[in-house]
Amino acid sequence: QAQVVESGGGLVQPGGSLRLSCADSGSRFSDYAMGWFRQAPGKQRELVASITTDTMANYPDSVKGRFTIARDNAKNTVYLQMNSLKLEDTAVYFCNRLFPHHRVPWGQGTQVTVSS
């Protein structure tokens, strides 16, 4: 079964940047819309960026203009560039296929901590 592995998280000061990566082991990666999600302590998991198979991106207002999602189908990888990070961006970040019926088991995620 395909799986996803996230990496690139860390500790960063407010206003800083991080680039997350997600490797998808599936054989048909280019067929799937992908999403980056995050879950903060005590909160539900939320979608923070999505990208379609033809690279159309979408973001909620909370991250629009600061986060950029991209994909490299040759590498089965989706990226999340995060700029101007805020304290409220602190969370565990996950990636997965965007639509629930395409999903693979959730990975461990990668911790992003924004703190001064």
Side-chain angles (χ1 to χ4, degrees):
Q1 187 175 17
Q3 59 180 356
V4 289
V5 179
E6 304 90 348
S7 62
L11 174 64
V12 63
Q13 292 185 339
S17 297
L18 281 175
R19 188 194 193 207
L20 307 183
S21 299
C22 169
D24 184 319
S25 67
S27 61
R28 295 169 51 207
F29 175 75
S30 60
D31 288 348
Y32 300 111
M34 297 295 295
W36 278 98
F37 306 78
R38 69 185 179 189
Q39 187 166 18
K43 295 188 176 181
Q44 289 190 331
R45 190 170 296 173
E46 63 173 344
L47 178 67
V48 296
S50 63
I51 187 166
T52 65
T53 55
D54 55 359
T55 69
M56 293 291 290
N58 197 34
Y59 311 91
D61 288 344
S62 58
V63 308
K64 194 172 293 182
R66 302 188 298 119
F67 289 11
T68 302
I69 189 171
R71 65 188 301 159
D72 184 338
N73 290 337
K75 296 182 178 180
N76 276 27
T77 299
V78 60
Y79 303 98
L80 185 68
Q81 178 67 43
M82 305 186 296
N83 299 329
S84 302
L85 282 162
K86 303 177 180 180
L87 297 176
E88 54 264 40
D89 294 320
T90 295
V92 181
Y93 283 72
F94 303 86
C95 75
N96 211 319
R97 281 84 182 277
L98 179 60
F99 299 112
H101 59 286
H102 291 155
R103 296 253 170 92
V104 300
W106 292 94
Q108 300 273 10
T110 186
Q111 175 71 48
V112 172
T113 302
V114 184
S115 175
S116 55

